[in-house]
Amino acid sequence: MTDQTDSQETEHHLQDLPDDIAADFTVPQHWEDYTPEQHAIWDRLYTRQEKLLPNYAEQSFIDGLSKLNLHRGGIPKFDDLNEELEKLTGWTIVPVPCLVPDDIFFEHLANRRFPAGNFIRRLDQLDYIQEPDVFHDVFGHVPMLTNPVFADYMQAYGEGGLRSLGFDCLKNLAALYWYTVEFGLVQTDQGLRIYGAGILSSASETRFCVEDPSPNRLKFDLERVMRTDYRIDDFQQTYFVIDSYESLFRATVDTDFAPLYERLHKAPRWQVDYIDNEAELLHRGTQAYAKAGGRFAKVS
Ligand code: HBI
Ligand code: FE
């Protein structure tokens, strides 16, 4: 896993923010300032992930990469990507220097703007970084924004987020984002495939989430997902599997969230590996990886 979207973590010390930041937390990309070493880090990560995609990624992710010409090498210019992306689904990418506050994040998504980190991880962070950098955000998230139904889901999530702001349910909304946009799996004719950006920007979790016997794999259910805790520091202990982007989109737009938030407030949250009696189980995880201490543990 590669990022950190806990709402408590998005408070900023003013002195850490760059001078050229706008009120909506966007900054210029400053593409000219990337060093050759930084472009080489992108290329290394890109090459490593690209090899895995044919066996693990859902086809619209693979198609998205080529529609956006993401294979040209080096950290992409957001302006170039936007020219293509905007034609395809009306989305654009806006550069940000850090995690942005939840209300600002929702506002961007509701307007079909995806905030993407303009910085790249260091060489000693190739396998793990908490903050969403340009590789995670652009390689991981942007290809899926070329899928029209998924693109609508992302906007609906942002709109739902804005509407939810008075309800004290950020944790539930963050869980929905986490278990779909970041760590989602989808059932396809080729078998289980990945569409989550947090997985597809991580070589080790790409294999783990599909092949390892450790994690639970449950059928997606909106309410179950929203009440389930999630891990921000290691591979997930549960993955949720959707049938299609259409059904994911419909689940969010057809649900009346006000009574749902009422129920979620009264009910306890569920732990990261909890399986309730009504869950539709695709695989009951052994949890061997987590029991062995996690974080790339070697389990025999
Ligand atoms: N900001 N840049 C950035 N990227 C995110 O993924 C992000 C964020 N702010 C808030 C946030 N995610 C989440 O807390 C929301 O899903 C609730
Ligand atoms: Fe992300």
Side-chain angles (χ1 to χ4, degrees):
M1 78 131 280
T2 53
D3 64 8
Q4 154 64 281
T5 59
D6 225 13
S7 53
Q8 295 93 308
E9 304 291 332
T10 55
E11 281 173 28
H12 295 282
H13 303 286
L14 285 175
Q15 67 270 25
D16 297 341
L17 297 172
D19 298 333
D20 51 4
I21 193 166
D24 65 359
F25 273 71
T26 59
V27 289
Q29 188 187 6
H30 293 304
W31 186 86
E32 327 62 53
D33 294 348
Y34 297 126
T35 64
E37 290 76 22
Q38 289 178 315
H39 287 296
I41 289 173
W42 171 283
D43 289 341
R44 260 179 85 164
L45 290 164
Y46 190 98
T47 307
R48 181 166 79 175
Q49 288 313 110
E50 191 184 28
K51 288 193 200 109
L52 296 170
L53 298 178
N55 292 323
Y56 295 98
E58 193 278 310
Q59 192 62 37
S60 40
F61 184 93
I62 297 171
D63 294 344
L65 276 181
S66 62
K67 284 180 191 161
L68 297 170
N69 295 307
L70 268 162
H71 57 272
R72 280 177 297 199
I75 301 169
K77 287 190 179 125
F78 289 9
D79 287 343
D80 293 347
L81 291 179
N82 283 341
E83 215 169 291
E84 295 306 314
L85 183 60
E86 193 159 18
K87 271 188 267 175
L88 290 167
T89 56
W91 274 78
T92 56
I93 314 161
V94 292
V96 294
C98 53
L99 280 173
V100 308
D102 296 310
D103 55 336
I104 290 177
F105 186 65
F106 294 146
E107 182 74 31
H108 281 303
L109 298 185
N111 289 285
R112 294 174 98 86
R113 290 187 301 266
F114 187 77
N118 70 341
F119 61 94
I120 191 150
R121 68 197 71 185
R122 298 188 310 265
L123 201 52
D124 62 318
Q125 300 171 311
L126 276 197
D127 294 317
Y128 182 80
I129 177 178
Q130 275 217 335
E131 314 81 50
D133 74 339
V134 64
F135 185 76
H136 166 76
D137 278 336
V138 172
F139 180 91
H141 285 284
V142 177
M144 286 308 300
L145 292 172
T146 65
N147 176 306
V149 182
F150 188 82
D152 286 348
Y153 168 69
M154 286 287 275
Q155 178 182 4
Y157 177 84
E159 290 168 341
L162 287 175
R163 281 194 299 270
S164 80
L165 286 174
F167 286 91
D168 185 28
C169 57
L170 271 170
K171 194 83 197 165
N172 305 297
L173 268 166
L176 175 59
Y177 192 85
W178 200 255
Y179 280 123
T180 59
V181 179
E182 297 290 357
F183 294 96
L185 302 181
V186 54
Q187 200 69 65
T188 74
D189 295 341
Q190 291 78 45
L192 208 53
R193 292 288 166 133
I194 306 165
Y195 69 94
I199 306 174
L200 288 169
S201 54
S202 156
S204 41
E205 193 156 359
T206 291
R207 297 187 183 92
F208 177 86
C209 71
V210 173
E211 287 167 358
D212 204 282
S214 293
N216 303 326
R217 297 183 188 90
L218 307 183
K219 274 194 107 168
F220 175 87
D221 172 83
L222 185 74
E223 191 160 336
R224 175 169 296 106
V225 166
M226 290 182 91
R227 67 171 42 148
T228 305
D229 282 338
Y230 54 90
R231 303 203 58 146
I232 60 170
D233 59 340
D234 208 330
F235 298 157
Q236 300 307 305
Q237 289 180 243
T238 299
Y239 296 92
F240 290 95
V241 182
I242 61 171
D243 288 330
S244 65
Y245 303 118
E246 188 63 37
S247 63
L248 175 62
F249 174 69
R250 291 259 57 105
T252 53
V253 296
D254 293 343
T255 297
D256 188 355
F257 279 81
L260 172 58
Y261 294 146
E262 283 295 309
R263 286 200 297 283
L264 289 170
H265 277 149
K266 285 181 204 132
R269 292 189 58 82
W270 287 339
Q271 289 180 7
V272 291
D273 60 347
Y274 182 70
I275 303 175
D276 65 290
N277 289 332
E278 280 141 60
E280 276 187 81
L281 204 53
L282 300 173
H283 171 76
R284 180 180 293 277
T286 62
Q287 300 299 342
Y289 171 81
K291 285 177 192 157
R295 199 66 172 268
F296 309 107
K298 272 273 158 280
V299 295
S300 49

